[in-house]
Amino acid sequence: MPLPFMKHRRTSTTPSIPKEAAAPDEKLPPLSPERLPPPPPPSAIDVANSPASFSLNTTSSALTANTNAALALIESGNWVEATELVRKNPEEAFKWASIKSKSRRNLNEGSQSSTTSARRLPLHHACLKLRSCCNKKAAADLISALLVAYPGAAKERETKHGCLPIHLAAFAISDNNKVPVTIASSSSNDITSFPNRNNNSNTAAATNSDEEICLSIIQDLLKVYPKACRETSEGGRLPLHMACAGRASPSIVRELLKHHGTEAARHRTKDGYLPLHLVALHGCSSEEVGW
């Protein structure tokens, strides 16, 4: 004869569901983040660290409530007003701001978008916005004013990719109207020998003017923090890698090599990329580049 407690155990193997839990109109509570299924495995290429997929371009950006006035003016393209503000109120150069941006990454399975948040100083944002700035002289004036107000900003890293201002400037300084061309081999080992084959004198004058201004920006950043050319960002990228990925002009590449030395051309990122690999991948800014 079964004992009473054994009988109770056999009949209670399937617990009864309370009526309130079985109500058909009641919605189940959402899963907490800890109970969500794990994300799919990453691609064979680590897109977070791969220089091939690195991009500072965003589809949209939004400044948060704690954004300082200087950074807001930079975002809206008011470079002259931002310069005047920083000169009158140098404390603006010290203020960090959070920026939310929506970026796209091309994966093997297709394009995906994600929203990220980064903290930057006005100097970071000014260097990054050089890529879309049409008035390079106004941008150079602002960057100079920011460095005068807060020289230590040249040593600060933004939080998205761990970049110093010089990383952002080296990547953002480029002529987007130039078409990538094939790298031509050169027998010369002189890193300063970059031939110029531009036959249009008007175009050459305008390009050279902007190129000189962009070069002065890099020189100003290196003057304040000379060791910046040897600092790596996320994935082990030197400013030289960033310049090559952004299709910077030969004068920018020369300047970075002059400060770092030829060993910079032999420095590999964590993924094994040399600066030359990024030139081959993203194209050249000039018609012929000799290494």
Side-chain angles (χ1 to χ4, degrees), residues 139-218:
D141 290 342
L142 173 59
I143 290 174
S144 177
L146 289 168
L147 288 172
V148 170
Y150 181 24
K155 300 180 181 180
E156 297 286 357
R157 295 179 183 270
E158 53 85 45
T159 60
K160 186 175 183 180
H161 295 289
C163 292
L164 295 171
I166 194 170
H167 289 103
L168 302 176
F171 179 82
I173 292 175
S174 69
D175 186 349
N176 295 325
N177 296 323
K178 291 183 178 180
V179 180
V181 296
T182 306
I183 302 174
S185 60
S186 172
S187 59
S188 172
N189 293 324
D190 182 6
I191 61 174
T192 63
S193 58
F194 292 92
N196 182 7
R197 297 185 178 180
N198 199 329
N199 296 322
N200 189 322
S201 58
N202 294 330
T203 303
T207 302
N208 290 338
S209 177
D210 279 349
E211 186 173 332
E212 290 173 1
I213 294 171
C214 293
L215 177 60
S216 70
I217 294 174
I218 296 295

Side-chain angles (χ1 to χ4, degrees), residues 98-109:
S98 296
I99 299 178
K100 292 182 180 180
S101 60
K102 184 179 292 185
S103 58
R104 283 198 296 260
R105 285 178 176 175
N106 294 324
L107 305 179
N108 291 341
E109 297 80 8

Side-chain angles (χ1 to χ4, degrees), residues 69-85 138 142:
L71 198 142
L73 288 172
I74 297 170
E75 177 67 19
S76 59
N78 296 318
W79 297 89
V80 177
E81 292 87 343
T83 303
E84 294 175 353
L85 176 65
L142 173 59

Side-chain angles (χ1 to χ4, degrees), residues 79 130 132-137 210:
W79 297 89
L130 283 169
S132 57
C133 175
C134 298
N135 190 345
K136 294 293 192 292
K137 178 63 170 62
D210 279 349

Side-chain angles (χ1 to χ4, degrees), residues 274-285:
L274 294 171
L276 182 60
H277 295 142
L278 300 180
V279 174
L281 181 65
H282 296 283
C284 311
S285 60

